Amino acid sequence: MREDQPMTVQVASPVTFRPKNAESRALLEAVAQHRGLSVSKLVAEAADKFARQYIEKVGPEKFASDLHEAAERRERSLQRQVAQFLKQTDDVASSDEQEESSSTRNTHDDAVAGSGR
């Protein structure tokens, strides 16, 4: 990187949550203030610590395996939804074609009848 180019810093996107009630919010604010942190920083640290402890408890391999299985289930579900949507789209298109064909036949029949044939 050249010295005249600014360094790009990747920042995580925000995550929001709603405390259970006003007392819970006040507690978080008091602890954050006591520790010299913002509520956001306090919650981010606590969430990160919890996530790391959870993965350690479950086991990193099992955790990764479970995530992979969940992703596969979501993918299969999405594929079924797309297939169903396409089938419904095809059914509507078929129905529209049949109506158009019927309408064209009726117009032709009316024209033939009107010409005296």
Side-chain angles (χ1 to χ4, degrees):
M1 176 184 287
R2 293 186 351 216
E3 288 183 35
D4 60 334
Q5 291 179 331
M7 185 172 22
T8 303
V9 178
Q10 292 192 1
V11 178
S13 58
V15 176
T16 59
F17 80 102
R18 186 177 311 276
K20 291 180 188 179
N21 52 42
E23 292 162 10
S24 179
R25 180 182 181 97
L27 177 63
L28 289 171
E29 289 171 345
V31 171
Q33 182 179 14
H34 188 265
R35 292 196 53 209
L37 300 172
S38 66
V39 172
S40 180
K41 182 72 172 172
L42 175 76
V43 171
E45 286 180 1
D48 185 72
K49 183 178 179 181
F50 171 81
R52 291 173 189 281
Q53 288 173 343
Y54 179 80
I55 292 170
E56 191 63 34
K57 176 182 172 188
V58 171
E61 295 81 17
K62 170 118 174 74
F63 183 78
S65 174
D66 289 351
L67 286 180
H68 181 71
E69 289 174 17
E72 287 179 341
R73 283 192 304 273
R74 282 191 302 274
E75 178 67 23
R76 286 190 301 271
S77 175
L78 181 59
Q79 288 172 351
R80 282 191 302 271
Q81 291 172 13
V82 168
Q84 174 129 8
F85 173 76
L86 292 175
K87 182 182 180 315
Q88 290 172 347
T89 303
D90 288 346
D91 290 348
V92 169
S94 265
S95 176
D96 289 348
E97 287 173 6
Q98 289 174 354
E99 287 177 17
E100 186 177 307
S101 176
S102 175
S103 174
T104 303
R105 265 196 312 273
N106 290 342
T107 304
H108 175 72
D109 293 347
D110 291 346
V112 169
S115 68
R117 289 188 183 170

